C-alpha cells in the first residue's frame, strides 16, 4: 500500500482530538443543528443523491450505449468510484463536524479553496435546477385539464386549420417549445421575460425557502414526503405501464445488451460521469449533512445503504421509463401502419377490415400484381418499431416531450400527468435541499453569514439573490442558457473537487489518521477494499475520466440545439455554433470553480511567505529600551 504523506504542521491544533469529540458533541447540542432520528438523515441523503438525473439521464445513456451493456461499466464504477468517495465524505464530515469549507481548511489552510469551489458549484447548479422545478410546476398546473393542452394542435387565427409550426412538428413539441418556453432562434436573441414562467419560478423559490427556512430543522421534515413519494409514483407507473400494449417491447429493448459498446471508451466515460453525478458528490451538501450526526454513527453502513438505493433507483426508474416508451413506440408503430393500410385501401377501393398488419405485405404484393402503375404511385411510410424505440431524448426532452406524448395516449391522461409531475417536483426539491445546504454552511464557515444573523434572514437573502439571477432562464433564450449551465457548471469542476477531496484526506490529512478516526467512530478499521480504492483506484479513475473528458471536449466543436421553424429539416433541432462571447461564460462556469482551488493555495502560500519575511525583518530592526520598571521592552 502507498504510505506517502505530505508534511502538515499544525494539524493537531486545527482539529479536535478523538477524546475531545464526545465532549464537543455535548457542548454543541444546543448551538448546532442535529437530526431528529436516523431515518430523517437517511431520507435527506437519499433525496439529495437521487434526483432528476436518475429518471431522465440514466435511461437515455442506457439507450445510447447498448442497453443492458451500459449497466456493466455503471455498476463497476459505482463500486470503485462512487461508494468510496461517498464513504469518505460522510466520514470526514462526521469526524470534523463542519461544513465543506470548515473541513478542508481544518485539514490544511491552503485547502479552503476546495470548500469554496464546492460552494460555487452548488450555487450555479441550484440556479438552473430550480428553474427545471419551475417548468415542472407549469406542466403540473396545466395537467388539470381534459384533454391535456399538449394533446392536440391549436387552431390558426382563421380557424381553418392548425397553426403551421404545430402542424409541422407535433402537439407536444409545440406546447414545450412555443407555449412553455416561447423559445427564440438563438442564444443571442434574449427576448423578453415569459411572465407565466416567472410566476412558476417565484413559486419554486418560495417553496424551497419555506422548506429550508430553518435549515435541516424544516427540510428534515419535508423529506418524509419528497424522498418517499417518488418511489410510490414510480411503482404506480410501473404497474400501469405493464398493463399497456407494447410496454414489454421497451423493457426488452432497454435490457438487451449490445456488448460491442463495452469496447467504446465513451461508454465507460459516460458511466463514470453518471455514477459521479448521481451520488451528488463534491457539492459539499453530504459533508454538511453528515456533520450533524452523532460521533459514533456508522457512516460506513450509511454509505453502503445509500449506494445500493441509488443504484437500484437508477435501474428501477429506467425500467419504468422504458415500459412507457415501449407503449409510446408501439402506439406510433400502429399509427404508422394504419396510415399505410388506409393508403392502400383508398387506392384500390378495398373493403374495411380486409387489410391488417398481419397480411399487409401479402396485400401489397397482390395489389402490385393487379395494378402495378397505381401501386408504384403510392407513398408508404417506413414503420420500424426499433427506430421508434430508439427515438429517445435526453434530459428535459425525455420528461417534457417523450413522456408527455405517452401520457396523452393513456386513458384518464390528466391523472397520470399530475402524478408524473408531482414525482419530478419531489425529486427536484429534495435535491435542492442539499444544494442550498452546500451554499449556506460554507458561507457560515467563511464568517460571511455570522451566527447573529437569523437563519430565516440568511436563507431569504440566498434564495432571493438566486431567484433574481435565475431570471436569465425565463427569457426566450432561457433554455439555451440552462443547457449551457448544465453542460459546464457541474462537469469538470466536480471531478477536480472530488479528486482534491480524496487526495487531501489520504495524503495530507493522512490515511493512517483517517483509519484511526473511522475505527473510533464505527468500531473497526476500514478493510482492504476501502484502503485500495481511497489510496489508488478511485483517484486514478477520476484522473482518467478527467483526461478523456478534457480531450473529448477540446476536440469537440461546441454546438447547441436550436428550435427554428424556418430550418429546412424542421422539426429536427438545428445544431449551430455558439457565438464567441459564450466562451467567456464557459470559462466562468467551468473555470472559476476549478481555479479557485489552486488560486487560493497560491494566495495562501504567498501570504505566508510575506508574513514570515515581515516577522524576520521586524526582529532584525527591533531595538530594546528600558521601561520605567526596569524590564526590557521592544520597539520597531
Amino acid at each position: 500500500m502507498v504510505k506517502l504523506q505530505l508534511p502538515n504542521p499544525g494539524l493537531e491544533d486545527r482539529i479536535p482530538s478523538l477524546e475531545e469529540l464526545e465532549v464537543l458533541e455535548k457542548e454543541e447540542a444546543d448551538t448546532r443543528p442535529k437530526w431528529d432520528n436516523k431515518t430523517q438523515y437517511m431520507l435527506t441523503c437519499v433525496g439529495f443523491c437521487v434526483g432528476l438525473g436518475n429518471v431522465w439521464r440514466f435511461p437515455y445513456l442506457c439507450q445510447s450505449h447498448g442497453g443492458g451493456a451500459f449497466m456493466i461499466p455503471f455498476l463497476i464504477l459505482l463500486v470503485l468510484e462512487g461508494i468510496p468517495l461517498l464513504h469518505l465524505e460522510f466520514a470526514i464530515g462526521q469526524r470534523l463536524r463542519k461544513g465543506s469549507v470548515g473541513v478542508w481548511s481544518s485539514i490544511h489552510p491552503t485547502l479552503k479553496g476546495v470548500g469554496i469551489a464546492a460552494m460555487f458549484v452548488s450555487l450555479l447548479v441550484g440556479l438552473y435546477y430550480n428553474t427545471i422545478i419551475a417548468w415542472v410546476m407549469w406542466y403540473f398546473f396545466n395537467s388539470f385539464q381534459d384533454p391535456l393542452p399538449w394533446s392536440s394542435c391549436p387552431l390558426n387565427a382563421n380557424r381553418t386549420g392548425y397553426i403551421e409550426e404545430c402542424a409541422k412538428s407535433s402537439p407536444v413539441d409545440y406546447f414545450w417549445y412555443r407555449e412553455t418556453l416561447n423559445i427564440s432562434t438563438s442564444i443571442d436573441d434574449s427576448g423578453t421575460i415569459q411572465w407565466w414562467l416567472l410566476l412558476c419560478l417565484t413559486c419554486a423559490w418560495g417553496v424551497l425557502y419555506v422548506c429550508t427556512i430553518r435549515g435541516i430543522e424544516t427540510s428534515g421534515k419535508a423529506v418524509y414526503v419528497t424522498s418517499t413519494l417518488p418511489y410510490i409514483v414510480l411503482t404506480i407507473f410501473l404497474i400501469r405501464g405493464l398493463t399497456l400494449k407494447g410496454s414489454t417491447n421497451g423493457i426488452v429493448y432497454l435490457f438487451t445488451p449490445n456488448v460491442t459498446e463495452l469496447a467504446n471508451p465513451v461508454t465507460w466515460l459516460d458511466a463514470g460521469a453518471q455514477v459521479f453525478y448521481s451520488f451528488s458528490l463534491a457539492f459539499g451538501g453530504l459533508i454538511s449533512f453528515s456533520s450533524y450526526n452523532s460521533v459514533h454513527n456508522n457512516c460506513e453502513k450509511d454509505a453502503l445503504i445509500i449506494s445500493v438505493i441509488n443504484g437500484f433507483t437508477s435501474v428501477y426508474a429506467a425500467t419504468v421509463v422504458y415500459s412507457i416508451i415501449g407503449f409510446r413506440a408501439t402506439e406510433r408503430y400502429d399509427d404508422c401502419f394504419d396510415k399505410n393500410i388506409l393508403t392502400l385501401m383508398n387506392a384500390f377501393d378495398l373493403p374495411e377490415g380486409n387489410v391488417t398488419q398481419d397480411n399487409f405485405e401479402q396485400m401489397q404484393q397482390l395489389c402490385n400484381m393487379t395494378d402495378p402503375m397505381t401501386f408504384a404511385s403510392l407513398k408508404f411510410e417506413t414503420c420500424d418499431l426499433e427506430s421508434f424505440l430508439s427515438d429517445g431524448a435526453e434530459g428535459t426532452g425525455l420528461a417534457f416531450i417523450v413522456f408527455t406524448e405517452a401520457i396523452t395516449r393513456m386513458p384518464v391522461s390528466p391523472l397520470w400527468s399530475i402524478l408524473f409531475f408531482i414525482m419530478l417536483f419531489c425529486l427536484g426539491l429534495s435535491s435542492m435541499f442539499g444544494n442550498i445546504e452546500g451554499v449556506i454552511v460554507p458561507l457560515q464557515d467563511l464568517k460571511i453569514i455570522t451566527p447573529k444573523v437569523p437563519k430565516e434572514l440568511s436563507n431569504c437573502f440566498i434564495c432571493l439573490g438566486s431567484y433574481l439571477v435565475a431570471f436569465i432562464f425565463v427569457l426566450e433564450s432561457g433554455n439555451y442558457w440552462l443547457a449551457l449551465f448544465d453542460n459546464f457548471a457541474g462537469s469538470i469542476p466536480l471531478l477536480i473537487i472530488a479528486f482534491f477531496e480524496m487526495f487531501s484526506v489520504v495524503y495530507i490529512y493522512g490515511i493512517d489518521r483517517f483509519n484511526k478516526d473511522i475505527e473510533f467512530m464505527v468500531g473497526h478499521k476500514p478493510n482492504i477494499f476501502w484502503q485500495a480504492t481511497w489510496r489508488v483506484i478511485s483517484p486514478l479513475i477520476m484522473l482518467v475520466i478527467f483526461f478523456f473528458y478534457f480531450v473529448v471536449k477540446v476536440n469537440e466543436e461546441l454546438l447547441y440545439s436550436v428550435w427554428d421553424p424556418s430550418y429546412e429539416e424542421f422539426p429536427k433541432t438545428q445544431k449551430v455554433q455558439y457565438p464567441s462571447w459564450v466562451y467567456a461564460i464557459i470559462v466562468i462556469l467551468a473555470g472559476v470553480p476549478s481555479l479557485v482551488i489552486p488560486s487560493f493555495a497560491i494566495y495562501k502560500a504567498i501570504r505566508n511567505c510575506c508574513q514570515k519575511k515581515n516577522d524576520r525583518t521586524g526582529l532584525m530592526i527591533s531595538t530594546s529600551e528600558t521601561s520605567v520598571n526596569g524590564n526590557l521592552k521592544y520597539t520597531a
Side-chain angles (χ1 to χ4, degrees), residues 421-497:
F421 289 109
I422 284 177
M423 179 188 73
L424 292 187
F425 176 77
C426 290
L427 284 169
L429 187 63
S430 56
S431 294
M432 278 302 298
F433 294 159
N435 280 327
I436 287 294
E437 187 75 12
V439 175
I440 292 173
V441 176
L443 290 176
Q444 292 170 341
D445 291 342
L446 291 167
K447 302 295 188 292
I448 294 173
I449 297 177
T450 62
K452 295 180 181 179
V453 179
K455 287 181 181 178
E456 296 86 349
L457 191 60
S458 61
N459 283 20
C460 178
F461 283 139
I462 290 169
C463 288
L464 181 61
S466 301
Y467 163 70
L468 294 174
V469 174
F471 277 23
I472 194 172
F473 301 120
V474 294
L475 296 168
E476 290 177 23
S477 60
N479 191 46
Y480 306 135
W481 279 98
L482 190 138
L484 191 67
F485 271 66
D486 187 34
N487 288 332
F488 296 100
S491 53
I492 286 288
L494 288 177
L495 285 169
I496 293 173
I497 293 165

Side-chain angles (χ1 to χ4, degrees), residues 76-94:
I76 290 172
L77 294 176
L78 182 142
V79 172
L80 297 180
E81 176 193 11
I83 299 176
L85 189 54
L86 183 67
H87 183 16
L88 181 139
E89 288 200 353
F90 279 166
I92 201 68
Q94 185 173 307

Side-chain angles (χ1 to χ4, degrees), residues 50-198:
V50 176
L52 296 171
N54 295 74
V55 173
W56 61 37
R57 191 167 188 266
F58 181 79
Y60 170 78
L61 290 173
C62 286
Q63 179 256 320
S64 303
H65 296 297
F70 179 77
M71 295 186 190
I72 297 171
F74 174 76
L75 293 174
I76 290 172
L77 294 176
L78 182 142
V79 172
L80 297 180
E81 176 193 11
I83 299 176
L85 189 54
L86 183 67
H87 183 16
L88 181 139
E89 288 200 353
F90 279 166
I92 201 68
Q94 185 173 307
R95 167 63 176 90
L96 298 182
R97 309 192 64 73
K98 294 179 180 179
S100 57
V101 168
V103 161
W104 304 116
S105 56
S106 294
I107 290 175
H108 198 284
T110 56
L111 293 175
K112 185 181 284 188
V114 176
I116 296 172
M119 179 190 71
F120 275 134
V121 173
S122 288
L123 179 63
L124 292 172
V125 171
L127 286 174
Y128 77 80
Y129 209 87
N130 220 32
T131 304
I132 297 175
I133 296 175
W135 292 344
V136 168
M137 294 178 82
W138 166 250
Y139 269 78
F140 173 74
F141 296 146
N142 277 282
S143 296
F144 292 91
Q145 303 178 47
D146 191 16
L148 292 169
W150 54 84
S151 61
S152 60
C153 287
L155 296 173
N156 58 24
N158 298 327
R159 307 188 70 81
T160 55
Y162 297 123
I163 290 176
E164 185 181 4
E165 183 180 352
C166 185
K168 284 184 176 180
S169 53
S170 70
V172 288
D173 283 326
Y174 182 80
F175 188 84
W176 168 238
Y177 287 110
R178 190 56 54 212
E179 299 285 349
T180 301
L181 301 176
N182 193 23
I183 197 166
S184 62
T185 56
S186 168
I187 195 171
D188 281 317
D189 182 11
S190 297
T192 57
I193 288 176
Q194 311 305 299
W195 63 266
W196 54 93
L197 290 181
L198 182 61

Side-chain angles (χ1 to χ4, degrees), residues 585-631:
I585 305 296
I586 293 172
V587 169
I588 294 171
L589 293 176
V592 170
S594 303
L595 294 175
V596 162
I597 300 172
S599 299
F600 190 87
I602 293 168
Y603 158 75
K604 200 73 178 175
I606 293 172
R607 186 180 174 188
N608 289 343
C609 288
C610 292
Q611 283 181 340
K612 289 178 182 178
K613 187 176 180 181
N614 290 338
D615 290 344
R616 286 196 300 270
T617 305
L619 286 171
M620 289 172 63
I621 65 173
S622 63
T623 57
S624 62
E625 61 182 57
T626 307
S627 65
V628 176
N629 62 6
N631 294 326

Side-chain angles (χ1 to χ4, degrees), residues 333-353:
Y333 178 76
D334 289 344
D335 289 346
C336 178
F337 242 115
D338 288 344
K339 289 179 182 176
N340 288 345
I341 289 171
L342 189 62
T343 301
L344 192 65
M345 287 171 57
N346 290 340
F348 289 89
D349 198 22
L350 299 171
E352 191 172 348

